[in-house]
Structures are given as structure tokens and as C-alpha cells.
Amino acid sequence: MDLEEYFAKAKEKQREHKKFLEKLKKKPPKNLDQKMEEIHEDVFNRIDCLSCANCCKTTGPLFTQKDIERLAHVFRIKPSQFIDKYLRIDEDNDYVLQQLPCPFLNNENYCLVYEDRPKACREYPHTDRKKFYQINHLTLKNTLICPATYEVVEQMQKEIKI
């Protein structure tokens, strides 16, 4: 499936996915964390993020103070200079990228700061997180951005009976 097909399918299935995720939140199975870990691993063994990188092209991470300090150190500049050059404060008062796609993404979809990337990038798309059902709103949103998240929810629907 190409990216356009994924996004069309994800849009088409929003209502169905939302219903499933809401049911899951109301009555999460006892082994959900373990099941989610298995599903996450299975999906990410099949999907190569480098073939897409849509998350880096369309959505930016939140930068913590630690992220800012770490990346400023990598670039050998002061944190304030890193902020001035790359970040802005959004409506929630968080540091986010000034522009997209991410300035650290190269033409082959590789992250130029991969080893030092922000915490939000390390954890994206959050499908292997403990108590996964607590972030259903985010997961639903991410199905429209990330083909792997869409696949995770599809596989959840097949494997998790609620």
C-alpha cells in the first residue's frame, strides 16, 4: 500500500477505530501491555519508517529542556541559540519546531540527530507504551500520520477481543 492509500484508509476508518479504542479504554484486557508490545514489534518488523518519515515531514515533536540542552551541545551552541535558530513556543507554551519538515531530516529520510533526537521522537508513535489505552486520542490522530500506527490499530482489532 502506498502512503496515499494508507491515509485514505485511515481517514475512512476513523469512526471505526475511535469506537474500538473507546471500548478498549473502558475495559482494557489484563494482558494489554504485553499484547501491545507484541503487536508493536510485529508491525515495526514489517514497516520501514525510512520509507515514509511522514511524522518528521508533517508533525514536529515537543522539545523538553533536556532535549534542547543535548542538541545545543551536539551543535556546539548555547541552548538559547538553538532555541532562536530552530524553535518557537506554541499555543500550549511548549517548544516546537519553527518549521516543517524537520530541519534534521535529510533527503533520504534519515535523521541527522538520530542518536540525540528529542524524547518525543524516540517514543513516537507511542504504540509500545505501557497503559496504551490512556492515549487513545493521540493514537487515533497518529493513524492519519503514521502507517505503522494504522497497522497497529488494525491488528489490535483482529487480536484483541473486547
Side-chain angles (χ1 to χ4, degrees), residues 140-156:
L140 191 62
K141 187 177 154 193
N142 287 341
T143 61
L144 298 170
I145 298 164
C146 172
T149 308
Y150 170 83
E151 287 293 330
V152 163
V153 175
E154 285 289 296
Q155 195 164 328
M156 286 171 66

Side-chain angles (χ1 to χ4, degrees), residues 22-120:
E22 283 173 352
K23 273 188 195 174
L24 186 73
K25 187 172 189 163
K26 283 181 187 158
K27 198 171 180 206
K30 285 191 181 10
N31 66 339
L32 183 62
D33 287 346
Q34 180 188 341
K35 193 72 191 155
M36 285 309 302
E37 207 173 295
E38 290 167 14
I39 291 172
H40 173 89
E41 209 168 289
D42 182 50
V43 167
F44 278 89
N45 283 334
R46 289 185 279 125
I47 291 186
D48 177 18
C49 293
L50 292 175
S51 67
C52 175
N54 195 50
C55 53
C56 305
K57 294 171 184 170
T58 64
T59 57
L62 301 180
F63 284 74
T64 65
Q65 196 56 47
K66 269 187 170 173
D67 295 330
I68 293 167
E69 289 167 13
R70 185 175 55 255
L71 286 163
H73 180 76
V74 167
F75 289 109
R76 294 186 170 97
I77 58 177
K78 292 180 180 150
S80 61
Q81 291 171 304
F82 181 84
I83 290 167
D84 290 345
K85 186 169 183 172
Y86 297 107
L87 306 179
R88 66 178 175 83
I89 294 177
D90 72 1
E91 58 282 349
D92 297 323
N93 225 17
D94 292 314
Y95 281 111
V96 296
L97 291 168
Q98 286 177 15
Q99 62 189 44
L100 293 169
C102 178
F104 311 121
L105 183 69
N106 77 9
N107 293 344
E108 285 148 15
N109 290 341
Y110 281 94
C111 176
L112 300 173
V113 295
Y114 189 78
E115 291 304 317
D116 300 294
R117 69 196 185 281
K119 181 178 188 270

